[in-house]
Amino acid sequence: MTVKIVIDAMGGDNAPAVEVEGALQAIGEYDCEIILVGDQTRINEMLNKHGGKPDRITVKHASETIDMNEPAALSVRRKRNSSIVVGLELLKHNEADAFVSAGNTGAVVCAATLSLRLLPGIERPGIAVIIP
């Protein structure tokens, strides 16, 4: 079974360069499909620098981004076409299996809670981290 992963291509430093490089590496190593969400023009420019868009990568345009210094809840409500909100909507509508972002953590948690809701019996969202 191929896993379909949505990546917020506009999250993090040097976006979308790092996200595109990671997506290309992932499809080379794993049985997965990637949906890169963000500024379609910038994402396609980065893909073209690496030889073009492979079949297992698709690009979904989102015209807005939520910056790291923006308040989470306000940004999620005002920027409905941000890469975070658009990416999580893909997940909500079963168009993907997972969502990854290196962007504004508060905005991701807020958008995920509003869009996907919490599991029954869970009162707060959790954040997974790796502890060495």
Side-chain angles (χ1 to χ4, degrees), residues 11-66:
D13 299 332
N14 302 315
V18 173
E19 291 77 3
V20 168
E21 289 174 20
L24 292 167
Q25 185 176 352
I27 65 166
E29 294 181 25
Y30 303 102
D31 182 22
C32 65
E33 294 179 30
I34 305 287
I35 302 171
L36 293 167
V37 180
D39 183 325
Q40 188 169 16
T41 302
R42 290 179 58 201
I43 294 168
N44 284 332
E45 285 173 1
M46 292 308 305
L47 286 167
N48 288 335
K49 283 186 178 180
H50 293 280
K53 188 177 78 55
D55 291 339
R56 291 191 292 148
I57 292 181
T58 57
V59 178
K60 174 77 174 168
H61 183 68
S63 62
E64 299 174 299
T65 59
I66 297 175

Side-chain angles (χ1 to χ4, degrees), residues 63-81:
S63 62
E64 299 174 299
T65 59
I66 297 175
D67 294 328
M68 297 300 260
N69 60 347
E70 292 185 68
L74 189 60
S75 299
V76 168
R77 286 189 172 93
R78 286 189 178 165
K79 294 185 173 184
R80 300 300 301 161
N81 200 31

